[in-house]
Amino acid sequence: MKTVVLLTKDKELKAAVEKNCKQQGLSMQLPLTMNEWNEHFQKSNNVLGMLDLDEASWINDMGNIHVIVFGQPNIISDRIDILGQCEDIIPKPVMTEVMVFKLNKVIEKLDMAEEFKKAREEIKNLDKDVNYAYEEWAKTDRVLKASLKEIENERNKLKELNYQLERLNAMKTDFLITVSHELRTPLSSIKAFAEILLDSETEPAETIEFLQIINNESNRLERLINNLLMASYIETSKICWRMTTVSIDKVIEKVVNTMQLDIKEKELMIEADISPDLPVVYGDQNKLVDAIDNLLSNAITFTPNGGTIKIRATKQITADKGIEVWVSIHDTGIGIKPEEQEKIFNSFHQIKENILVNKPKGIGLGLAICKKIIEHHGGRIWVESKYGEGSTFTFSLPITNK
């Protein structure tokens, strides 16, 4: 999505949307009439419209364009048959901050749809490559009929290729099922509680409770999308590293503060043991926040209600690595079987018996992202776990002079 086209007389909203577009590197157009507004969609498909129904004397079928509409409830009700395909329908009055929030969510959704479209194209190209591989094998088979050994070798290669394709197809199926479940769960909660708040009168205490649930589910959805984007950036080498001196104790404090709602919801105790002489490291602070966020999020998920999570950060001196900072997060969850402990750092790997019966928690990207981030910083990450008694995830970061 490259351009946002807004038709409204609300100056405050114009200023807020324009500021948001500049921050995201998007262009913005402010037409004065419906004709001018419609012309932008005829020129480009890469447009997201925002339409104030109070200013629209007439509207066309909006099934083929991306648009957010807002207006008085009676106007929306009169035109609901035309507005059904809109990205979002927002009744007035609405705060500018809420409007910008909803705009950003629509932009994220459309960007994600574009990423999925690209992924489907890549799968189609892969299918072409596979078909080409089968054709080449057939030619080779005809040429090498005189040599039984060579024919057997080619047959074995084909079996291996078929096995890899079946494995990849199974991974794709598991991934799509898991992502669909993980997206649907928070979205369903957000939609349900939002509808309750919109359609009925609630007590202030209930309103706060419902908003906290909506906020928690939004954070969960945001972490999921961020992990998908981070994995994509890492795999395509498009990730930008901003290296500087970083205080790990500040990073830990920031992550713990961010997750206070989740911690309080499960009545967990956080025990932090941070060495006072902890040296700074050279790294990307935001990426290190992401790594610790994933580890702490896992610990919160797998620790039972009322349990304890221990966070420890110390300076270590090793013979082969010299001075390092070690950060460990210990939970009292279900633990990890020995045969699973090496695999859990692989992308999309999840500990499960049957994905349709025992749905995993998450999509199997968090630990893989942690490993990529820590290894980029020259560090290591490992797990110590006894099945049934909990796990301790530890990573090291070298001390370098930059």
Side-chain angles (χ1 to χ4, degrees):
M1 193 57 57
K2 295 182 179 179
T3 303
V4 175
V5 181
L6 170 62
L7 176 59
T8 184
K9 290 182 180 179
D10 188 334
K11 295 181 179 180
E12 182 181 357
L13 178 59
K14 287 181 180 179
V17 173
E18 185 172 14
K19 179 180 178 181
N20 185 68
C21 288
K22 287 182 179 179
Q23 291 174 347
Q24 298 199 39
L26 302 174
S27 65
M28 180 178 177
Q29 299 295 329
L30 297 169
L32 299 177
T33 66
M34 275 298 297
N35 285 332
E36 293 178 3
W37 188 81
N38 278 315
E39 287 176 2
H40 288 283
F41 294 95
Q42 297 171 3
K43 295 176 182 178
S44 173
N45 293 327
N46 225 356
V47 175
L48 171 61
M50 297 182 70
L51 178 60
D52 188 340
L53 294 177
D54 297 349
E55 310 300 332
S57 57
W58 55 272
I59 52 177
N60 291 326
D61 181 13
M62 295 188 177
N64 298 321
I65 63 176
H66 302 298
V67 60
I68 300 171
V69 298
F70 52 98
Q72 299 299 329
N74 61 318
I75 297 178
I76 292 175
S77 178
D78 291 341
R79 304 180 182 183
I80 195 66
D81 56 330
I82 297 177
L83 305 177
Q85 299 299 317
C86 293
E87 299 296 335
D88 206 344
I89 303 172
I90 306 170
K92 289 184 177 180
V94 61
M95 293 187 296
T96 301
E97 292 83 359
V98 174
M99 186 70 76
V100 171
F101 175 81
K102 286 180 171 287
L103 169 62
N104 287 336
K105 286 301 177 184
V106 171
I107 291 173
E108 288 178 7
K109 184 188 77 172
L110 295 176
D111 288 343
M112 182 65 71
E114 186 63 26
E115 290 294 328
F116 274 72
K117 181 179 178 181
K118 292 178 181 177
R120 287 194 294 269
E121 290 299 321
E122 291 177 0
I123 292 173
K124 289 181 180 179
N125 291 334
L126 178 60
D127 287 339
K128 293 179 181 178
D129 292 339
V130 172
N131 290 334
Y132 178 78
Y134 275 114
E135 293 172 1
E136 289 300 306
W137 173 84
K139 294 177 183 178
T140 304
D141 183 63
R142 289 192 295 269
V143 172
L144 300 177
K145 280 184 177 180
S147 173
L148 293 176
K149 183 177 180 179
E150 287 298 322
I151 292 175
E152 186 63 26
N153 288 340
E154 291 300 319
R155 185 180 294 115
N156 290 336
K157 289 179 182 179
L158 182 59
K159 287 180 180 179
E160 177 62 22
L161 176 60
N162 186 60
Y163 167 77
Q164 293 295 335
L165 289 174
E166 289 178 351
R167 188 174 67 88
L168 289 173
N169 187 59
M171 288 177 61
K172 180 193 72 174
T173 301
D174 284 1
F175 175 71
L176 291 176
I177 292 173
T178 303
V179 168
S180 299
H181 171 74
E182 290 295 319
L183 286 172
R184 185 185 299 112
T185 300
L187 283 174
S188 297
S189 296
I190 292 170
K191 187 175 186 298
F193 285 103
E195 287 176 348
I196 292 174
L197 291 173
L198 288 172
D199 297 339
S200 61
E201 295 183 1
T202 57
E203 297 295 328
E206 288 183 329
T207 299
I208 292 174
E209 179 185 356
F210 293 167
L211 289 174
Q212 286 176 338
I213 292 173
I214 290 173
N215 184 65
N216 288 346
E217 294 300 319
S218 298
N219 290 338
R220 176 181 171 186
L221 191 59
E222 182 181 28
R223 283 197 294 270
L224 170 64
I225 294 172
N226 285 343
N227 277 346
L228 285 169
L229 291 174
M230 177 72 74
S232 173
Y233 293 151
I234 289 175
E235 291 300 323
T236 57
S237 300
K238 292 182 179 180
I239 191 168
C240 179
W241 300 91
R242 295 179 173 86
M243 308 296 281
T244 184
T245 54
V246 179
S247 298
I248 288 296
D249 55 335
K250 300 295 183 184
V251 173
I252 294 173
E253 180 182 2
K254 179 178 180 180
V255 173
V256 172
N257 288 338
T258 301
M259 295 197 171
Q260 280 302 311
L261 286 176
D262 295 329
I263 293 169
K264 291 179 180 178
E265 183 179 355
K266 296 187 70 173
E267 299 180 345
L268 301 176
M269 177 71 69
I270 301 294
E271 294 183 2
D273 179 13
I274 312 298
S275 296
D277 61 342
L278 202 64
V280 298
V281 299
Y282 186 73
D284 185 316
Q285 178 166 315
N286 290 333
K287 303 302 184 299
L288 293 174
V289 166
D290 290 336
I292 296 177
D293 181 276
N294 272 308
L295 293 176
L296 183 56
S297 177
N298 283 349
I300 292 172
T301 299
F302 291 102
T303 299
N305 289 5
T308 300
I309 297 173
K310 298 178 181 180
I311 304 174
R312 192 164 184 259
T314 60
K315 180 175 71 174
Q316 299 287 338
I317 302 177
T318 60
D320 55 337
K321 301 292 184 179
I323 302 176
E324 294 182 312
V325 169
W326 285 21
V327 177
S328 63
I329 297 179
H330 172 75
D331 65 64
T332 52
I334 59 175
I336 304 169
K337 294 179 180 179
E339 62 268 23
E340 294 281 355
Q341 292 181 18
E342 285 299 324
K343 301 176 184 177
I344 58 175
F345 293 102
N346 297 334
S347 295
F348 308 120
H349 180 78
Q350 299 161 308
I351 302 173
K352 56 188 183 296
E353 298 297 331
N354 186 328
I355 192 170
L356 294 175
V357 177
N358 302 315
K359 287 186 170 59
K361 300 177 180 179
I363 58 175
L365 285 177
L367 291 176
I369 290 172
C370 289
K371 186 173 186 289
K372 294 286 187 180
I373 292 173
I374 298 305
E375 289 181 348
H376 180 85
H377 287 76
R380 299 160 290 141
I381 185 169
W382 63 95
V383 62
E384 299 168 277
S385 181
K386 188 172 182 180
Y387 189 64
E389 296 184 9
S391 305
T392 300
F393 284 86
T394 305
F395 68 82
S396 66
L397 295 172
I399 306 302
T400 56
N401 297 318
K402 295 289 181 180

